[in-house]
Amino acid sequence: MIKISKEEVLKIAAISQISVSDAEADSLAGELEAVLSYAERVAQLTGDAPDTLPVTFNVCRPDEVKKADNIIIEGQGVDAATGYFVVPLILDQQ
């Protein structure tokens, strides 16, 4: 089990530029011990687990590059003046 002293809590608070009283330091030491003990238990349980999951790709079809017809695209929301797609507003503006 990991032990955190009040002095260590005060040192961490000073480095973090957080104001902590002596009474708070005692309470925080216990809370930090609990968090670090939990993290240690999780590390023990997952020690043999792989770091990442295997990556799978969509292998059902090959990617195909197709040239788009500008006339068809323009009819689907492109603002002719700016060349950008215009979509309906979904959030209230303030």
Side-chain angles (χ1 to χ4, degrees):
M1 181 163 165
I2 299 171
K3 285 292 195 187
I4 304 290
S5 69
K6 180 171 80 170
E7 289 75 25
E8 289 173 316
V9 171
L10 292 172
K11 183 176 180 181
I12 292 169
I15 292 170
S16 304
Q17 298 181 353
I18 299 172
S19 176
V20 175
S21 68
D22 285 341
E24 290 174 321
D26 288 329
S27 174
L28 288 172
E31 291 178 25
L32 285 172
E33 286 177 5
V35 169
L36 292 174
S37 293
Y38 180 75
E40 187 177 49
R41 285 182 27 214
V42 169
Q44 289 172 350
L45 293 173
T46 60
D48 294 333
D51 292 337
T52 59
L53 295 175
V55 177
T56 58
F57 296 99
N58 181 2
V59 293
C60 297
R61 62 168 177 79
D63 290 336
E64 295 178 22
V65 177
K66 295 181 181 179
K67 181 149 177 71
D69 185 3
N70 287 345
I71 295 171
I72 294 172
I73 292 175
E74 287 175 3
Q76 298 180 8
V78 173
D79 183 9
T82 63
Y84 294 108
F85 281 93
V86 178
V87 296
L89 182 65
I90 60 170
L91 301 175
D92 294 333
Q93 288 184 328
Q94 295 187 17

